[in-house]
Amino acid sequence: MAATIHHTLSVLVENKAGVLARVSNLFARRGYNIYSLAVAPTDDPALSRITVVVDVAPELLEQVVKQLHKLINVIKISELDPADSVERELALITVQAAPAARHQIIELTEVFGGRIEDVGFDELTISVAESPERLDDLASLLAPYGILSMQRTGRVALPKLERTPPPGLRIAG
Amino acid sequence: MSQPPPQPGDRIDGGRALIRSLELEGVEVVFGLPGGAILPVYDPIIDSPIRHILVRHEQGAGHMAEGYAHATGRPGVAMVTSGPGATNIVTPLCDAYMDSIPMVCITGQVPFPAIGTDAFQEADTVGITRSVTKHNELVTRAEDIPRVIREAFHIATTGRPGPVLVDIPKDIVDPTKPASAMEWYWPTDDEVSAGLPGYRPTTKGHPRKIKEAAELISRSRRPVLYVGGGILKARAAEVLRELAELTGIPVVTTLMARGAFPDDHELCLGMPGMHGNYTAVTAMQEADLLVALGARFDDRVTGRLDGFAPDAKIIHVDVDPAELGKVRTPDVPIVGDCRQVIGELVRTITNLGGRDAQADRSEWRQRISGWQETYPLTYAPSEPGELLKPQFVLEQLRDLSPEDTIVASGVGQHQMWASQYWTFRHPYTWINSGGLGTMGFSVPAAIGAKVGMPDRTVWAIDGDGCFQMTAQEMVTAATERIPIKVAILNNAYLGMVRQWQEMFYDERYSEVYLSPDLPDYVKWAEAMGCVALRVESPEEVGPAIEKANDIDDRPVVLEFRTDSSEKVFPMVPAGRTNSEIVVGPSGGEGGR
Ligand SMILES: Cc1ncc(C[n+]2csc(CCOP(=O)(O)OP(=O)(O)O)c2C)c(N)n1
Ligand SMILES: [Mg+2]
């Protein structure tokens, strides 16, 4: 078996019953695991975007993408290279926070750009929207305090924007 | 009394809308069997000009729709009830999906509010059939029926054709239920297209790729046109012939493409693959260029992949982009409709100098005719007193039947012999289950073909095992006066499996014996309303066939008692490369 790596596919589909089942079935019938999944309508409510992270060998990915294209309800597919895209996941984490430790946890949360969502007597629930790697880092840092539960959404991603200005462009001002 | 057709804006019910939609799609025949959930749709059928053929098992309806589509090029339509009706038609859907047959299947479903409650005869039909259809749809509102039916026919017949299933809950077609009320309309082409934003099949090949292909073809010294079923789907047989004759390149026709190029043409090498003839297999193997046209490099054609056509560059033309590079990476991939792309190729090659600009291929032609002379298809004729040779029966059938006879075959040894020994001179004369290999295909497929082509002689060539899987449809044929002819090659065995057990399992025969006498095929066929004859000696073969060919008011079944020890050759054993082709029972490998 060839090595599998995570691939992020952004699939624009019609926002209709059964479409997600069609998409996930293409992975399931080939024995490929869906690692993470996020689905929501786009700015056009007739369309949804499925962001799916799959474990699949690169040489097999092309065939899956072509098969996805064959689905009648699929409109567009792009593969997002992690190096060339902005990826975010949201995590909700409930962590043990005795009054003495609370301050350190709040500080960590701030460093990661998160928020305290809920405060209990000796627990805190925090939310952080970050790249998957940064969320892993935060989880490791919180682990010693005692993570009581953690829920992560599927990953959403968009390609990075073009940085070189078109030739001849002059910025006024 | 039949009502006048609905006008736009008329209040009608979903059931009538469904039947009217089928009429407007040009459907002339529906193969089906009613039941509770589809009952309301069966009522307006009485008043419709559409012919309904009542099958004896829903699998039969599906294969009939396929046979009809194969023979006519028009989509076949099947209609069945929910639950068991729907599950019974899963095999034909899968068959049609594998062989890219345009087909629309309408299934009844329990009333919408009951879906998900394990209601009587409820099955998750769209879930079950999702991976064996090109598309399927559960219709939830009566007003969606005309649109979904139009979309279904559009999807089934365009791009790479395939089966589309439409699942219809009972309440939206039952005139006594408020959910069935709707205003009649018929969507325009633009509305259909706007409703399918993700479906835009590419039909026109890329001009630069076509130029590259034309140049590669002209330069190649050992080219082969590797022709698959896509040529027939694209109605491209004529332009294929132009390409072959313009370039002088030999043609192989796969199991799905038999008839796409005439077998009696000097450039035709016949069928390649596991049971292909030596020349077709070897020419592909030795080629420096394979021009794959609507073919998909099936494992039964390539043999062991890493040894397949090792020196060949590949031009691959297919309407389905997912086929390009799926099995073998093409040097020149062209996505497009075969008829359009081949037409463009012919024009481009002509502009490059046509025949005169082709590389010298005299040595290639010589090698090919050398193989043809050294390794023709052969079999040992039967000795007096022995059972019939199946090949002999097929030769007689071929020679005594009209040259445009349509042949529908089952799956097994008889299928391979039929493909090998028939001379196909016309497209759409060969109907078989290639991709799925569905035993029981031939009888219903032949019925569907005969319904679509009533003026043609239609022979089902069947095995004894296959016949027992769908024989009940002979009752349908007799009742509906569909005079097909069936030749059962009764070798008393699941012969193809027996052959593998003989060759690869040390002659340890496990569960393949069927008995020649049980059932009594003649009595059985007669009980089903057919004329039937048993044929046991070579002298009887011709007269029996002639008698069968003369009957055209009833179906006929001829049972030929054939030699069970006969094996299909040549054969490329599974897991071997095509260079290891075995040409005959002595086990001799063809020399190179
Ligand atoms: C539905 C189905 N079940 C099993 C098989 C496997 N199979 C392939 S050929 C064959 C034997 C067919 O027997 P018969 O119809 O008598 O044809 P023969 O090979 O003897 O000519 C079998 C069992 C199949 N192709 N289809
Ligand atoms: Mg048999």
Side-chain angles (χ1 to χ4, degrees), chain B residues 92-340:
Chain B
L93 287 170
C94 189
D95 194 273
Y97 188 57
M98 292 286 273
D99 286 345
S100 309
I101 311 299
M103 169 176 168
V104 172
C105 177
I106 291 157
T107 47
Q109 182 55 277
V110 300
F112 191 64
I115 291 180
T117 66
D118 299 329
F120 178 61
Q121 296 194 325
E122 180 185 359
D124 172 15
T125 303
V126 286
I128 291 168
T129 60
R130 188 168 291 134
S131 54
V132 297
T133 51
K134 182 173 173 185
H135 189 60
N136 65 17
E137 193 113 11
L138 169 68
V139 187
T140 55
R141 300 178 307 183
E143 69 212 61
D144 291 339
I145 289 174
R147 177 182 58 78
V148 174
I149 294 293
R150 272 220 73 184
E151 287 176 0
F153 279 84
H154 177 64
I155 293 167
T157 54
T158 51
R160 181 178 184 165
V164 178
L165 179 139
V166 181
D167 200 24
I168 309 237
K170 185 175 185 177
D171 54 326
I172 69 166
V173 286
D174 180 350
T176 66
K177 296 285 184 300
S180 76
M182 61 170 283
E183 255 178 37
W184 171 253
Y185 68 100
W186 188 237
T188 62
D189 288 353
D190 286 346
E191 283 162 351
V192 170
S193 163
L196 299 168
Y199 183 67
R200 299 280 181 275
T202 307
T203 51
K204 196 173 174 312
H206 196 291
R208 203 186 64 234
K209 291 285 167 205
I210 290 176
K211 179 128 188 296
E212 261 177 59
E215 287 166 357
L216 190 53
I217 289 172
S218 303
R219 279 203 306 275
S220 65
R221 294 183 164 268
R222 303 191 310 279
V224 172
L225 301 182
Y226 159 32
V227 167
I231 289 288
L232 293 170
K233 306 298 163 9
R235 323 260 353 140
E238 229 165 275
V239 65
L240 165 69
R241 188 168 172 156
E242 278 178 44
L243 176 66
E245 288 175 352
L246 171 67
T247 56
I249 300 178
V251 178
V252 300
T253 49
T254 68
L255 184 65
M256 289 311 296
R258 306 288 291 128
F261 191 73
D263 275 332
D264 53 359
H265 194 287
E266 56 166 355
L267 290 170
C268 192
L269 308 185
M271 181 174 75
M274 180 175 266
H275 292 298
N277 72 76
Y278 183 88
T279 305
V281 171
T282 308
M284 285 182 88
Q285 200 63 355
E286 302 285 312
D288 67 351
L289 174 67
L290 290 179
V291 186
L293 302 169
R296 59 183 177 87
F297 294 83
D298 182 76
D299 52 80
R300 285 295 192 264
V301 167
T302 63
R304 206 177 93 189
L305 199 57
D306 59 9
F308 171 66
D311 303 331
K313 286 206 170 352
I314 308 285
I315 296 169
H316 196 170
V317 183
D318 206 292
V319 74
D320 179 0
E323 286 303 336
L324 307 183
K326 185 183 81 177
V327 175
R328 171 101 171 227
T329 309
D331 299 274
V332 184
I334 303 177
V335 179
D337 171 78
C338 273
R339 184 151 46 105
Q340 288 195 33

Side-chain angles (χ1 to χ4, degrees), chain B residues 413-414 462-466 489-496 512 514 562:
Chain B
Q413 291 181 310
H414 61 282
D462 218 356
D464 45 332
C466 286
L489 301 186
N490 179 6
N491 57 5
Y493 275 94
L494 298 170
M496 186 56 96
V512 286
L514 297 175
T562 61

Side-chain angles (χ1 to χ4, degrees), chain B residues 59 91 410-415 417 436-440 462-467 469 489 491-498 514:
Chain B
Q59 183 187 0
T91 299
V411 171
Q413 291 181 310
H414 61 282
Q415 172 190 28
W417 285 316
L436 196 62
T438 309
M439 284 176 69
D462 218 356
D464 45 332
C466 286
F467 186 74
M469 288 206 177
L489 301 186
N491 57 5
Y493 275 94
L494 298 170
M496 186 56 96
V497 183
R498 182 192 188 280
L514 297 175

